[in-house]
Amino acid sequence: MRNILKQAFNLSGPVYALIMRNLLVIKESIGSVISVSIAEPVIFLFAFGFGMGSIVGQVDGIKYLNYVVPGMLCYSVLFSASFETGINAFARLTSYRIYDAILATPATMQDICAGEILWAVIRSFVAALGVLIAAYAFDGVDVSFLNLLYSLGFLLLGAFAFSSFGLAFTSIAKGFHFFSYYFAFWVTPNFLFSGVFFDVTRYPEWLQIICKILPAYHLVNIVRGYFINQPLDAFTIIASIAYLLVFIVLSYILAFYKLKNRLFD
Protein backbone atom coordinates (compact mmCIF):
# COMPACT_ATOMS: atom_id res chain seq x y z
CA MET A 1 0.00 0.00 0.00
CA ARG A 2 2.83 2.40 0.84
CA ASN A 3 4.39 1.77 -2.57
CA ILE A 4 1.05 2.41 -4.29
CA LEU A 5 0.60 5.77 -2.59
CA LYS A 6 4.22 6.72 -3.23
CA GLN A 7 3.85 6.13 -6.97
CA ALA A 8 0.26 7.36 -7.22
CA PHE A 9 0.94 10.76 -8.76
CA ASN A 10 4.43 10.33 -10.14
CA LEU A 11 4.25 12.17 -13.45
CA SER A 12 6.13 9.50 -15.38
CA GLY A 13 6.17 8.99 -19.14
CA PRO A 14 3.06 6.75 -19.26
CA VAL A 15 1.08 9.14 -17.06
CA TYR A 16 2.01 12.08 -19.27
CA ALA A 17 1.19 10.03 -22.38
CA LEU A 18 -2.26 9.15 -21.03
CA ILE A 19 -3.01 12.79 -20.25
CA MET A 20 -1.88 13.86 -23.74
CA ARG A 21 -3.93 11.07 -25.31
CA ASN A 22 -7.07 12.34 -23.58
CA LEU A 23 -6.23 15.91 -24.58
CA LEU A 24 -5.93 14.94 -28.24
CA VAL A 25 -9.27 13.13 -28.09
CA ILE A 26 -11.02 16.04 -26.41
CA LYS A 27 -9.86 18.43 -29.15
CA GLU A 28 -12.14 16.58 -31.56
CA SER A 29 -15.22 17.33 -29.47
CA ILE A 30 -14.34 20.66 -27.89
CA GLY A 31 -17.87 22.04 -28.39
CA SER A 32 -19.55 19.37 -26.31
CA VAL A 33 -16.82 19.59 -23.68
CA ILE A 34 -17.36 23.33 -23.24
CA SER A 35 -21.14 22.93 -23.10
CA VAL A 36 -20.99 20.19 -20.48
CA SER A 37 -18.10 21.42 -18.34
CA ILE A 38 -18.53 25.19 -18.40
CA ALA A 39 -21.87 26.21 -19.89
CA GLU A 40 -24.06 24.26 -17.46
CA PRO A 41 -22.51 25.70 -14.28
CA VAL A 42 -22.61 29.18 -15.84
CA ILE A 43 -26.33 28.74 -16.62
CA PHE A 44 -26.96 27.72 -13.01
CA LEU A 45 -24.90 30.68 -11.85
CA PHE A 46 -26.92 33.17 -13.87
CA ALA A 47 -30.29 31.55 -13.13
CA PHE A 48 -29.77 31.54 -9.37
CA GLY A 49 -27.36 34.46 -9.05
CA PHE A 50 -29.59 36.89 -10.92
CA GLY A 51 -32.99 35.19 -10.74
CA MET A 52 -32.94 34.11 -7.12
CA GLY A 53 -30.69 37.03 -6.28
CA SER A 54 -33.39 39.51 -7.30
CA ILE A 55 -35.66 37.89 -4.69
CA VAL A 56 -33.16 37.16 -1.94
CA GLY A 57 -31.06 40.29 -2.35
CA GLN A 58 -28.37 39.59 0.21
CA VAL A 59 -27.22 36.77 2.49
CA ASP A 60 -25.55 37.92 5.71
CA GLY A 61 -24.89 41.30 4.11
CA ILE A 62 -23.36 39.78 0.96
CA LYS A 63 -24.88 40.19 -2.50
CA TYR A 64 -26.44 36.87 -3.42
CA LEU A 65 -24.54 36.58 -6.70
CA ASN A 66 -21.25 36.93 -4.81
CA TYR A 67 -22.52 34.40 -2.26
CA VAL A 68 -23.40 31.75 -4.85
CA VAL A 69 -20.28 32.11 -7.05
CA PRO A 70 -17.94 30.04 -4.81
CA GLY A 71 -20.60 27.34 -4.58
CA MET A 72 -20.88 27.19 -8.36
CA LEU A 73 -17.11 26.99 -8.69
CA CYS A 74 -17.17 23.95 -6.42
CA TYR A 75 -20.05 22.46 -8.39
CA SER A 76 -18.20 22.88 -11.68
CA VAL A 77 -15.26 20.96 -10.20
CA LEU A 78 -17.62 18.32 -8.79
CA PHE A 79 -19.51 17.80 -12.05
CA SER A 80 -16.57 17.88 -14.47
CA ALA A 81 -14.38 15.59 -12.37
CA SER A 82 -17.24 13.16 -11.71
CA PHE A 83 -18.20 13.02 -15.38
CA GLU A 84 -14.63 12.51 -16.58
CA THR A 85 -13.62 9.70 -14.20
CA GLY A 86 -17.16 8.36 -14.30
CA ILE A 87 -18.86 7.85 -17.65
CA ASN A 88 -15.86 8.82 -19.80
CA ALA A 89 -13.43 6.60 -17.89
CA PHE A 90 -15.91 3.72 -17.96
CA ALA A 91 -16.12 4.04 -21.75
CA ARG A 92 -12.33 3.87 -21.96
CA LEU A 93 -12.39 0.84 -19.66
CA THR A 94 -15.13 -1.17 -21.39
CA SER A 95 -16.16 0.13 -24.82
CA TYR A 96 -12.77 1.21 -26.16
CA ARG A 97 -10.59 -1.12 -24.05
CA ILE A 98 -8.02 1.66 -23.71
CA TYR A 99 -6.72 0.33 -20.41
CA ASP A 100 -6.03 -3.09 -21.91
CA ALA A 101 -4.01 -1.45 -24.66
CA ILE A 102 -2.08 0.67 -22.16
CA LEU A 103 -1.21 -2.37 -20.05
CA ALA A 104 0.30 -4.00 -23.13
CA THR A 105 3.03 -1.36 -22.81
CA PRO A 106 5.46 -0.88 -19.88
CA ALA A 107 2.76 1.23 -18.13
CA THR A 108 1.34 0.03 -14.82
CA MET A 109 -1.98 0.26 -13.00
CA GLN A 110 -0.55 3.14 -10.97
CA ASP A 111 0.09 4.99 -14.23
CA ILE A 112 -3.48 4.45 -15.40
CA CYS A 113 -5.03 5.57 -12.12
CA ALA A 114 -2.74 8.57 -11.78
CA GLY A 115 -3.22 9.57 -15.42
CA GLU A 116 -7.00 9.37 -15.26
CA ILE A 117 -7.23 11.30 -12.00
CA LEU A 118 -4.75 13.99 -13.03
CA TRP A 119 -6.51 14.44 -16.36
CA ALA A 120 -9.86 14.84 -14.61
CA VAL A 121 -8.30 17.34 -12.20
CA ILE A 122 -6.96 19.41 -15.11
CA ARG A 123 -10.27 19.33 -16.96
CA SER A 124 -12.37 20.21 -13.90
CA PHE A 125 -10.01 22.99 -12.84
CA VAL A 126 -10.17 24.56 -16.31
CA ALA A 127 -13.98 24.36 -16.12
CA ALA A 128 -13.89 26.17 -12.77
CA LEU A 129 -11.68 28.88 -14.25
CA GLY A 130 -14.25 29.33 -17.04
CA VAL A 131 -17.01 29.83 -14.47
CA LEU A 132 -14.78 32.21 -12.51
CA ILE A 133 -14.14 34.36 -15.59
CA ALA A 134 -17.87 34.50 -16.36
CA ALA A 135 -18.66 35.45 -12.76
CA TYR A 136 -15.97 38.13 -12.78
CA ALA A 137 -17.37 39.60 -16.01
CA PHE A 138 -20.76 40.09 -14.32
CA ASP A 139 -19.33 41.56 -11.11
CA GLY A 140 -19.88 38.40 -9.11
CA VAL A 141 -16.34 38.26 -7.71
CA ASP A 142 -15.05 40.54 -4.96
CA VAL A 143 -12.09 38.79 -3.41
CA SER A 144 -8.51 39.71 -2.61
CA PHE A 145 -5.80 38.19 -4.77
CA LEU A 146 -4.34 36.19 -1.89
CA ASN A 147 -7.73 34.75 -0.91
CA LEU A 148 -8.35 33.91 -4.57
CA LEU A 149 -5.12 31.90 -4.66
CA TYR A 150 -6.12 30.05 -1.48
CA SER A 151 -9.53 29.30 -3.02
CA LEU A 152 -8.00 27.94 -6.22
CA GLY A 153 -5.73 25.70 -4.16
CA PHE A 154 -8.70 24.23 -2.33
CA LEU A 155 -10.57 23.78 -5.62
CA LEU A 156 -7.62 21.68 -6.80
CA LEU A 157 -7.87 19.60 -3.64
CA GLY A 158 -11.60 19.15 -4.27
CA ALA A 159 -10.88 18.16 -7.87
CA PHE A 160 -8.60 15.37 -6.64
CA ALA A 161 -11.28 14.20 -4.21
CA PHE A 162 -14.09 13.99 -6.77
CA SER A 163 -11.81 12.55 -9.47
CA SER A 164 -10.56 9.81 -7.17
CA PHE A 165 -14.04 8.85 -6.04
CA GLY A 166 -15.32 8.88 -9.63
CA LEU A 167 -12.63 6.41 -10.65
CA ALA A 168 -13.42 4.27 -7.60
CA PHE A 169 -17.06 4.09 -8.65
CA THR A 170 -16.07 3.30 -12.23
CA SER A 171 -13.97 0.41 -10.97
CA ILE A 172 -17.07 -1.30 -9.51
CA ALA A 173 -19.69 -0.22 -12.06
CA LYS A 174 -21.32 -3.11 -13.94
CA GLY A 175 -22.59 -1.05 -16.84
CA PHE A 176 -23.42 2.45 -18.02
CA HIS A 177 -26.80 2.27 -16.29
CA PHE A 178 -24.99 2.21 -12.93
CA PHE A 179 -24.10 5.86 -13.44
CA SER A 180 -27.75 6.77 -12.99
CA TYR A 181 -27.22 5.81 -9.35
CA TYR A 182 -23.89 7.63 -9.30
CA PHE A 183 -25.37 10.96 -10.38
CA ALA A 184 -28.65 10.57 -8.49
CA PHE A 185 -27.20 9.49 -5.14
CA TRP A 186 -23.75 11.07 -5.22
CA VAL A 187 -23.39 14.06 -7.55
CA THR A 188 -26.86 15.52 -6.93
CA PRO A 189 -26.71 15.33 -3.09
CA ASN A 190 -23.23 16.88 -3.15
CA PHE A 191 -24.68 19.65 -5.30
CA LEU A 192 -27.87 20.35 -3.36
CA PHE A 193 -26.85 19.58 0.21
CA SER A 194 -23.41 21.19 0.43
CA GLY A 195 -24.44 24.82 0.83
CA VAL A 196 -24.06 25.90 -2.79
CA PHE A 197 -27.18 28.09 -2.74
CA PHE A 198 -27.76 28.64 0.99
CA ASP A 199 -26.30 27.71 4.35
CA VAL A 200 -26.98 24.13 5.43
CA THR A 201 -28.11 25.38 8.86
CA ARG A 202 -31.52 25.93 7.24
CA TYR A 203 -31.95 22.14 7.13
CA PRO A 204 -33.17 20.00 10.05
CA GLU A 205 -30.38 18.94 12.40
CA TRP A 206 -30.40 15.31 11.24
CA LEU A 207 -29.96 16.43 7.63
CA GLN A 208 -27.16 18.83 8.60
CA ILE A 209 -25.19 15.83 9.90
CA ILE A 210 -25.53 14.13 6.51
CA CYS A 211 -24.54 17.35 4.74
CA LYS A 212 -21.31 17.56 6.73
CA ILE A 213 -20.33 14.05 5.67
CA LEU A 214 -20.31 15.10 2.01
CA PRO A 215 -16.91 16.27 0.72
CA ALA A 216 -18.54 19.08 -1.26
CA TYR A 217 -19.74 20.63 2.00
CA HIS A 218 -16.17 21.01 3.25
CA LEU A 219 -15.02 22.40 -0.09
CA VAL A 220 -17.84 24.94 -0.39
CA ASN A 221 -17.44 25.97 3.23
CA ILE A 222 -13.75 26.79 2.86
CA VAL A 223 -13.88 28.35 -0.62
CA ARG A 224 -16.84 30.58 0.29
CA GLY A 225 -15.05 31.76 3.42
CA TYR A 226 -12.12 33.01 1.35
CA PHE A 227 -14.32 34.39 -1.44
CA ILE A 228 -16.32 36.61 0.91
CA ASN A 229 -13.07 37.57 2.69
CA GLN A 230 -14.19 35.88 5.91
CA PRO A 231 -11.92 32.80 6.16
CA LEU A 232 -12.90 30.08 8.60
CA ASP A 233 -10.90 29.44 11.75
CA ALA A 234 -7.68 27.45 11.39
CA PHE A 235 -9.02 24.34 13.15
CA THR A 236 -12.02 24.05 10.80
CA ILE A 237 -9.83 24.49 7.73
CA ILE A 238 -7.28 21.90 8.92
CA ALA A 239 -10.03 19.43 9.81
CA SER A 240 -11.62 19.83 6.36
CA ILE A 241 -8.26 19.41 4.63
CA ALA A 242 -7.59 16.25 6.63
CA TYR A 243 -11.04 14.91 5.78
CA LEU A 244 -10.54 15.53 2.05
CA LEU A 245 -7.05 13.99 2.08
CA VAL A 246 -8.30 10.83 3.78
CA PHE A 247 -11.18 10.71 1.29
CA ILE A 248 -8.73 10.98 -1.62
CA VAL A 249 -6.44 8.25 -0.29
CA LEU A 250 -9.26 5.79 0.41
CA SER A 251 -10.89 6.46 -2.97
CA TYR A 252 -7.59 5.99 -4.79
CA ILE A 253 -6.81 2.73 -3.04
CA LEU A 254 -10.28 1.38 -3.83
CA ALA A 255 -9.96 2.43 -7.47
CA PHE A 256 -6.52 0.88 -7.80
CA TYR A 257 -7.36 -2.53 -6.36
CA LYS A 258 -10.76 -2.85 -8.01
CA LEU A 259 -9.44 -1.86 -11.43
CA LYS A 260 -6.47 -4.19 -11.00
CA ASN A 261 -8.75 -7.11 -10.14
CA ARG A 262 -11.05 -6.25 -13.01
CA LEU A 263 -8.36 -5.93 -15.65
CA PHE A 264 -6.26 -8.92 -14.55
CA ASP A 265 -9.15 -11.26 -13.75
Side-chain angles (χ1 to χ4, degrees):
M1 182 179 296
R2 182 181 301 175
N3 186 49
I4 292 171
L5 295 176
K6 182 179 179 180
Q7 299 180 27
F9 298 109
N10 178 25
L11 195 58
S12 61
V15 174
Y16 177 77
L18 180 57
I19 293 174
M20 292 307 298
R21 179 262 170 201
N22 290 339
L23 179 61
L24 290 173
V25 171
I26 210 173
K27 288 171 62 178
E28 302 299 322
S29 55
I30 192 66
S32 62
V33 170
I34 293 175
S35 64
V36 171
S37 301
I38 300 178
E40 184 184 13
V42 169
I43 291 171
F44 274 115
L45 175 64
F46 288 165
F48 285 90
F50 290 109
M52 188 69 73
S54 63
I55 301 173
V56 176
Q58 294 185 341
V59 177
D60 296 330
I62 303 163
K63 189 171 69 173
Y64 187 70
L65 178 61
N66 295 74
Y67 181 86
V68 82
V69 163
M72 291 311 304
L73 290 174
C74 296
Y75 168 66
S76 67
V77 167
L78 161 68
F79 183 81
S80 296
S82 298
F83 194 90
E84 185 59 37
T85 54
I87 293 176
N88 286 355
F90 189 75
R92 290 191 283 271
L93 171 65
T94 58
S95 301
Y96 306 127
R97 312 294 293 184
I98 298 297
Y99 297 168
D100 289 321
I102 292 174
L103 289 173
T105 72
T108 64
M109 274 306 309
Q110 286 99 326
D111 295 324
I112 292 177
C113 292
E116 286 289 11
I117 292 172
L118 285 172
W119 166 244
V121 168
I122 293 170
R123 177 171 171 174
S124 60
F125 190 70
V126 170
L129 290 179
V131 176
L132 178 62
I133 292 171
Y136 184 82
F138 286 90
D139 196 30
V141 178
D142 182 19
V143 59
S144 68
F145 181 71
L146 183 59
N147 282 353
L148 177 61
L149 290 181
Y150 285 140
S151 299
L152 294 177
F154 283 112
L155 286 173
L156 273 176
L157 183 63
F160 273 103
F162 298 127
S163 299
S164 300
F165 185 83
L167 193 62
F169 186 89
T170 292
S171 69
I172 62 174
K174 303 301 182 182
F176 283 101
H177 62 283
F178 266 64
F179 289 94
S180 298
Y181 305 118
Y182 176 61
F183 281 92
F185 298 111
W186 174 251
V187 176
T188 300
N190 268 280
F191 176 41
L192 297 178
F193 299 123
S194 61
V196 171
F197 299 113
F198 48 82
D199 196 281
V200 299
T201 55
R202 297 178 181 271
Y203 290 124
E205 289 188 6
W206 64 268
L207 187 53
Q208 291 181 40
I209 296 174
I210 297 176
C211 292
K212 293 176 182 179
I213 296 174
L214 299 172
Y217 165 82
H218 297 273
L219 185 62
V220 172
N221 212 23
I222 295 175
V223 173
R224 176 168 288 136
Y226 282 111
F227 251 79
I228 62 177
N229 298 306
Q230 297 176 12
L232 303 175
D233 61 276
F235 176 79
T236 302
I237 292 176
I238 293 173
S240 293
I241 292 173
Y243 176 88
L244 290 172
L245 288 175
V246 171
F247 185 83
I248 291 169
V249 171
L250 293 179
S251 297
Y252 180 87
I253 292 174
L254 175 63
F256 174 82
Y257 280 111
K258 288 297 183 180
L259 281 176
K260 183 177 180 181
N261 292 338
R262 187 164 186 163
L263 289 167
F264 290 96
D265 188 9

